[in-house]
Structure formats: C-alpha cells, structure tokens
C-alpha cells in the first residue's frame, strides 16, 4: 500500500530471513506528523519483502500513531509469510510485540494484562528450572 505521508526516519530495524543468508528485511518507522484533519500519521516502510510496504498508522496524537505504526509493522511482517527473525531469535520473532487493545474498556485491558503477566511469570519459573520456555 502506498501513502503520501513523508518518511522522516526515526527508527530502523533489520531482520534476517531464515534460510536465506544475507537477505535482510528493513523496517523503517518515520516521525509522526500532524495531518490537516488534526489526526497524526506515522509512516511505516518495509523493504525486502516480496512486495514493499509503504503505509501509515493514524492516531489522535503522535504517541498513538507511533504505537500503531509498530503494530502495522508487526502485522505486515506476519502477513508476509516470510520467516524473518530479529537478533537470531526463532522464525517469526520480530521484536514487535502484540499490543493489548484498549477499545474494549479498562476491565478487558486489565484482564489481558494479568493473563500476559501470569504467562510471563510461568515462563520465568520454567526457565529457572531449566525447562524450555
């Protein structure tokens, strides 16, 4: 997808393609910019996939646009089907975590955060005991 928001890079992540030494996928996040509508747009550019991605994430402020840009990158990489990895992790480990949605209300967000924290605690305990995470 193409977008007209100018890309003024503020962050970049390079991912390896599993099974293709030397092939790199580069995710570039641009500086959030206010649009004439008053919303904010944060450009996302991904090079190295079968088809390049040039999109923007929109938010009510710069922080939300930036947060949604990370989610846009995560989803774009996942949807590509390409087995990418960051920092020699497992295939699919991009370093872009899933965001807990807030649109369903505070109780939902609290419940999801508790579930995530409980699972992290279990994984840490298993790691201490030498079990795979």
């Amino acid at each position: 997808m193409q977008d007209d928001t100018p890309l003024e890079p503020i962050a970049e992540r390079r991912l390896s393609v599993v099974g293709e030494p030397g092939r790199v996928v580069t995710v570039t996040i641009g500086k959030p910019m206010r649009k004439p509508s008053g919303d904010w747009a944060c450009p996302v550019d991904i090079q190295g996939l079968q088809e390049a991605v040039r999109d923007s994430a929109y938010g009510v402020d710069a922080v939300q646009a930036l947060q949604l840009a990370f989610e846009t990158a995560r989803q774009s990489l996942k949807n590509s089907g390409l087995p990418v990895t960051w920092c020699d992790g497992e295939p699919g480990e991009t370093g872009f975590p899933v965001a807990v949605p807030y649109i369903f209300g505070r109780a939902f967000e609290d419940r999801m955060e508790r579930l995530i924290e409980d699972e992290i605690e279990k994984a840490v305990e298993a790691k201490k005991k030498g079990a795979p995470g």
Side-chain angles (χ1 to χ4, degrees):
M1 176 180 221
Q2 293 297 314
D3 185 74
D4 66 347
T5 304
L7 179 66
E8 185 179 327
I10 60 168
E12 181 181 280
R13 172 160 290 163
R14 299 170 66 81
L15 301 120
S16 301
V17 179
V18 177
E20 296 186 42
R23 182 172 175 192
V24 173
V25 172
T26 304
V27 177
T28 304
I29 304 294
K31 178 181 176 182
M33 298 183 182
R34 187 183 292 268
K35 301 300 263 185
S37 65
D39 287 336
W40 287 77
C42 187
V44 178
D45 184 81
I46 305 176
Q47 299 294 319
L49 300 176
Q50 187 170 353
E51 290 187 32
V53 172
R54 179 72 163 92
D55 202 353
S56 285
Y58 292 85
V60 297
D61 61 19
V63 172
Q64 184 184 37
L66 183 59
Q67 289 172 319
L68 293 174
F70 289 128
E71 181 63 17
T72 297
R74 187 186 75 76
Q75 282 292 337
S76 295
L77 292 167
K78 183 177 178 179
N79 292 342
S80 77
L82 194 63
V84 295
T85 184
W86 178 60
C87 289
D88 297 323
E90 293 180 34
E93 288 183 0
T94 64
F96 293 104
V98 173
V100 174
Y102 56 85
I103 195 167
F104 302 113
R106 189 67 217 167
F108 175 84
E109 190 175 354
D110 287 344
R111 191 168 69 253
M112 292 300 104
E113 287 176 359
R114 275 193 309 277
L115 288 169
I116 291 168
E117 289 165 0
D118 288 348
E119 288 301 313
I120 290 170
E121 197 172 303
K122 288 177 191 175
V124 167
E125 288 304 314
K127 194 86 157 166
K128 285 180 184 176
K129 293 177 183 175

